[in-house]
Amino acid sequence: MNSLAATGLARPRRWLSGHPLAADSLLSCLVLCLVVVGAFLAPRAERHPPGAVFFLLSVAACGALVLRRRAPRTVLAATCALTVVAVVFTGGDGPPRTTIAMSAAVALYTLAVRSERPAALRTVVTTVTALTGVVMLLGAPPWYAQENFGLMAWTGLAGAAGDAVRSRRAFVAAIEERAERAERTREEEARRRVAEERLRIARELHDVVAHHIALVNVQAGVASHIMDSRPEQAKQALAHVREAGRSALAELRATVGLLRQYGDPAAPTEPAPGLGDLGRLVEGFVRVGLSVDVVAVPAPPGATVTGADAAAAVVGALPGAVDLTAYRVLQEALTNVHKHAGSGARAEVTLRRGSYALELTVVDDGGKPPAPADKPADKKESAGGHGLLGMRERAVALGGSCAAGPRGPGTPGFRVCAVLPLPGPGAPAPRVSA
């Protein structure tokens, strides 16, 4: 029953909200009824009933309320003037006709609702003081009649109610605006995090897939080229293809495992690659014909150490994020050397660990352009990718930097240099990634 009643009341309310002129007309009729009924119920009304002039003034005052939204100040002035005329000139020896002041109270409420607090306060005080003072001075004696003080109370309460309603509406509007702003902020934050996660996953998959698939492509091309003339070497190349494919599947399984939801099968627990796997990484490139030299320069003064495993040992333990980023940067840089440099290229990897940063440098000599006869028939030219961009993003995400470009005028080859900050006492604060 309550829900049906609420539904039945909601429809007329919505209709009146959409038709303010009809709502004000209905309010005007209601106030007129109250004014007339109140005039007949006033003390001594039986001996001095209201006359026709009072009815005409009441109709004019209540009719002005139809325009209370369009011209609130004009309506307030008109209702106050008609109230004074009705009280002063129609009372005579009978009771003061202050019930007509209901129209002035409604007009005052409307103006208080639609004005700012300082202006509304000035208007309410001025209206109550002026209206009550004029009625007391010019109306029927005695000036301290109960109807005169009732006039003061009702107009004052109407102004206070209007100010309270205005404050309430402003408070609700502020809360709604704050809620909408918070909702927009949450949506923007969610979109930003989704974009960052997509970028991170794309970068990780690119680093895993590009390295191993490049090796698979080269070894498969070599095997196809020498299958008939040198079958034993072709078998070795196919064995390398199988091993590279197995490594790619293992790393892809570990990466995709991070995307599983709660309740999915357990993700692989293999540790993320790092500089401890540098020897295995270099060995994979050496098997496909790329000559790689690894040099480590320790932080304390001492002799330079060569060899992938020895260099990784000299660098020592690194934070997980720095270790993974260093491995991925070296992996991508060597993959680019293998893909883009000519045959017989030689790369040199230098690891330099300072007090607050790890510096990685990969330099190649450019090799020599392959002869058309030595080039496998199915090998295609490499297309531009996102490798360099991925290396920069990884370094910047840790607060470091990565630069890549030709070695210099007249010097063949390419150079990649990345600087990754290391946390520790006295270390400068890392830069925040864009």
Side-chain angles (χ1 to χ4, degrees):
M1 293 296 293
N2 293 335
S3 61
L4 292 176
T7 304
L9 292 176
R11 292 179 179 177
R13 187 182 304 170
R14 287 197 298 267
W15 187 87
L16 291 175
S17 299
H19 300 79
L21 186 61
D24 292 338
S25 300
L26 181 61
L27 177 64
S28 175
C29 295
L30 179 61
V31 173
L32 178 60
C33 293
L34 293 177
V35 169
V36 174
V37 172
F40 278 102
L41 295 179
R44 297 178 293 169
E46 295 180 357
R47 290 179 296 170
H48 302 278
V53 177
F54 177 80
F55 285 113
L56 293 176
L57 293 175
S58 299
V59 170
C62 295
L65 295 179
V66 176
L67 303 176
R68 68 187 185 96
R69 299 176 192 261
R70 299 182 180 180
R73 295 185 181 276
T74 303
V75 171
L76 177 61
T79 53
C80 289
L82 293 172
T83 298
V84 171
V85 172
V87 172
V88 173
F89 295 101
T90 64
D93 295 332
R97 311 297 184 185
T98 56
T99 55
I100 193 176
M102 291 184 184
S103 59
V106 173
L108 185 60
Y109 166 85
T110 304
L111 187 60
V113 167
R114 301 169 68 89
S115 303
E116 296 295 332
R117 170 164 287 181
L121 182 60
R122 290 193 299 268
T123 303
V124 170
V125 172
T126 303
T127 302
V128 172
T129 303
L131 183 61
T132 306
V134 171
V135 170
M136 287 182 176
L137 291 176
L138 303 180
W143 65 268
Y144 51 85
Q146 180 181 354
E147 289 82 357
N148 294 338
F149 287 100
L151 173 63
M152 178 187 298
W154 282 109
T155 51
L157 286 176
D163 181 71
V165 171
R166 182 200 56 77
S167 300
R168 176 66 179 175
R169 290 178 180 176
F171 177 72
V172 172
I175 291 179
E176 292 178 350
E177 181 183 1
R178 193 156 49 243
E180 293 177 359
R181 190 185 310 116
E183 185 67 23
R184 290 195 301 269
T185 303
R186 283 194 297 268
E187 293 177 357
E188 293 173 358
E189 179 67 15
R191 287 195 295 267
R192 185 185 65 81
R193 291 189 177 186
V194 169
E196 290 180 353
E197 187 65 15
R198 289 178 56 190
L199 181 61
R200 186 189 67 81
I201 294 172
R203 185 168 56 232
E204 194 72 23
L205 290 177
H206 172 270
D207 290 342
V208 171
V209 174
H211 165 63
H212 292 290
I213 298 303
L215 298 183
V216 168
N217 183 39
V218 171
Q219 291 293 344
V222 171
S224 176
H225 186 61
I226 63 176
M227 179 67 71
D228 297 330
S229 59
R230 287 172 286 178
E232 293 300 326
Q233 294 184 9
K235 291 181 180 179
Q236 294 180 3
L238 292 177
H240 294 326
V241 168
R242 183 174 60 252
E243 182 178 353
R246 188 183 301 112
S247 299
L249 287 176
E251 292 198 28
L252 281 175
R253 190 179 299 112
T255 302
V256 174
L258 300 176
L259 307 179
R260 291 177 176 168
Q261 302 290 332
Y262 177 77
D264 291 344
T269 56
E270 292 86 354
L275 290 185
D277 303 315
L278 183 58
R280 184 160 55 91
L281 177 66
V282 171
E283 182 181 355
F285 284 105
V286 171
R287 284 200 300 265
V288 297
L290 178 64
S291 178
V292 182
D293 296 331
V294 182
V295 177
V297 180
T304 300
V305 179
T306 59
D309 294 332
V314 168
V315 171
L318 296 171
V322 177
D323 201 17
L324 175 61
T325 300
Y327 179 87
R328 293 303 188 198
V329 168
L330 293 179
Q331 182 186 53
E332 180 63 31
L334 292 176
T335 301
N336 288 340
V337 173
H338 176 65
K339 290 168 58 178
H340 301 292
S343 61
R346 186 180 187 88
E348 180 177 347
V349 177
T350 303
L351 309 178
R352 185 186 302 273
R353 178 165 184 169
S355 301
Y356 304 121
L358 173 66
E359 182 179 347
L360 312 171
T361 305
V362 179
V363 180
D364 67 88
D365 58 2
K368 60 180 180 179
D374 297 335
K375 189 176 182 180
D378 61 344
K379 186 175 181 180
K380 297 181 180 180
E381 294 295 336
S382 300
H386 302 280
L388 297 180
L389 179 61
M391 287 190 292
R392 293 192 186 97
E393 289 176 347
R394 284 184 177 274
V396 172
L398 296 179
S401 61
C402 181
R407 297 178 62 180
T411 304
F414 205 77
R415 181 176 184 271
V416 176
C417 181
V419 179
L420 307 179
L422 299 176
R431 295 172 295 173
V432 180
S433 61

